[in-house]
Every structure is written in structure tokens, then in C-alpha cells.
Amino acid sequence: LNGHTISKVATSPSPSYLTTVKSGGSLTIKNGTITFAATTPDTQWGGEGQPPYPGYANNTISNQGTLIIENATIENKTSKGGASYVIDNYAGANLIINEGAVLTQSGGDIAIRMFNGGSGAINVTINGGTISGYRAVWVQLASNTTTVSPIMNLTVTGGTLTSTDQNYNQAIYSYSYGNDMSNVLINVSGGTFNGDIALTGGSNKTNLETLNISGGIFNGTYGFYSYGADDKALEAITVTGGTFMTDPSAYVDTGYAATEAGGKWTVSPAL
């Protein structure tokens, strides 16, 4: 972008996006700013007594291909209510966030969504940058077919993920409408989390996601938790590193230990 800004305001109440990466396509965005907002209310959308808001799914970028963000600011200013995303990833999408990237849902909704009902894998890798929104990342299994297990891979090696939600404060939220969650894999080896990793939301808790934490700073109240059964969560979550506000010892792998200092617990190889 050579330091320039691309911006758009959608004036139609219909779903919209600023740009899209189609299946098989590849786009790298760097050295500039992209902003988008949907502002016109759809009076047919929303329940009784709710204020009208723009039509469902107003995305800055819709991604079905390969998208790389580095040293660029991507923002969505659409107000919360109609579902809006800075980057909305569908089946087949690959997203890589590198150093210098700034993704912000300043209107109050989701920064990155992974939306998949089972027709292909979604891979999101966060190596750096800052990502903030009501949820920084939402892993959403999209259909109610319990025999389908969408492939969702979220890898965090660096960066800062922040939830602006003051109630649940979930930096990452994994949710299913009914799909099996056994092919959801979240690997965290670094980064700072201003909010918790919340797992197994929704209706299907037969099989849980896999969460591996080998590093990172977790500033949320719990660091991570699952809405699934405790015994299954203990099998699905493994911790071998990281610093937490709450003792994670129940999930710490064999050969590692959590030690407390100054009200924080750090996991490292056992002496």
C-alpha cells in the first residue's frame, strides 16, 4: 500500500465486504491501512425490542484463499449486533498474521472468525502483531451435523490477542452449532493473551478440541477453560509452558511443573 489508506463505508443494509480473497487466490497486504464500516440499519434484522443494525456479516476481508498481513492496519468499525469481522475465513482459507500487523474490530464484534461446516480445512497462524475485538479469534463450527468434524488449525507463536468484552473476556472462543470438535487444534507457543481461551462452547460436547500450550503470557482470569466435561478437558488440554494468573497444574504435562511467584504461575521443566 506504500503508506496509503483504503477505506469504504457500506450504505446498503445488506451483507457486505470491502474485498475478498477467492479460493486458490493469494493476497499479501503490507505497509498501509484498510478500514471498513457498514452504517445503514436493516430494520428487518434483529429481534423485537432490539435497535436496528446493519445486515448480518459485514467483513473488511472475506477469505477463502491465502491471506498474509504484515506491517499493516486492518480495521472494521461496524457496530456490534449484525455480526461483523475484520477477517472472515471460510473453508479452504489460510491466514498468516506477521509482525507489525494491527487488526481491530473497533465497533465491538469479532476480529478474526474461522467459519467452517466441514468442507475443507481452515489454517490461521498468528506470528506477531496485535489483534483486538469482542473476541480476538472466534473458531466457529458452522453446521449442526454431528457426524462432521471440520478441520480447524489455529497456531499462535507471538503477538497480542485482546478481548474487549468486559463480561466473558474471551480472547479466543471455540464454538460448535453441532459439528464434532475432534479436528479442532489450537497450538500456542508464544504471544500475550489479554483474555481467556474458552473451549467447547455450543451444543456438541461429545469430543473436545485439542489445546497445546508450550509458551505465552496469559493475563486472563483463568488463562484457559472448557465448557466440556472436566475429565475430557484434562485429556484434551496439555500445558508445558507459559505464565498464568491461575494455577494450571491440573493440566501440566508429566515432566513439567507450575511454580508461583508474585501471584503468577510459570510452567517449565520440572527440576
Side-chain angles (χ1 to χ4, degrees), residues 2-70:
N2 195 28
H4 293 288
T5 296
I6 297 174
S7 63
K8 177 182 178 181
V9 174
T11 57
S12 168
S14 302
S16 57
Y17 53 81
L18 189 149
T19 191
T20 185
V21 184
K22 294 186 176 181
S23 178
S26 179
L27 174 65
T28 298
I29 300 172
K30 59 183 180 180
N31 303 329
T33 300
I34 296 177
T35 67
F36 176 75
T39 60
T40 303
D42 181 354
T43 56
Q44 304 303 312
W45 176 254
E48 183 178 353
Q50 294 180 340
Y53 38 72
Y56 184 85
N58 295 280
N59 310 322
T60 304
I61 303 174
S62 295
N63 181 32
Q64 291 179 286
T66 297
L67 175 62
I68 301 171
I69 311 293
E70 54 186 48

Side-chain angles (χ1 to χ4, degrees), residues 63 87 89 93-97 112-114 122-127 131 137 152-156 185 187:
N63 181 32
I87 301 175
N89 301 279
N94 295 288
L95 172 64
I96 300 172
I97 308 295
I112 296 173
R113 182 173 74 153
M114 302 168 66
I122 295 178
N123 300 295
V124 172
T125 302
I126 300 169
N127 296 317
I131 302 165
V137 181
M152 306 281 244
N153 297 308
L154 173 60
T155 302
V156 182
L185 173 61
N187 282 325

Side-chain angles (χ1 to χ4, degrees), residues 22 29 32-33 47 53 58 92 128 143 147 158 163 171 193 196 202 224 230 247 265 269 271:
K22 294 186 176 181
I29 300 172
T33 300
Y53 38 72
N58 295 280
S143 86
T147 56
S163 169
F193 296 80
D196 297 315
F224 58 88
D230 289 345
D247 185 0
W265 282 261
L271 297 178

Side-chain angles (χ1 to χ4, degrees), residues 154-173:
L154 173 60
T155 302
V156 182
T157 69
T160 300
L161 287 73
T162 299
S163 169
T164 59
D165 175 16
Q166 298 302 309
N167 293 319
Y168 290 99
N169 198 224
Q170 297 167 344
I172 297 174
Y173 182 38

Side-chain angles (χ1 to χ4, degrees), residues 99-129:
E99 293 294 341
V102 178
L103 275 63
T104 305
Q105 213 303 349
S106 55
D109 221 313
I110 313 299
I112 296 173
R113 182 173 74 153
M114 302 168 66
F115 185 79
N116 192 354
S119 56
I122 295 178
N123 300 295
V124 172
T125 302
I126 300 169
N127 296 317

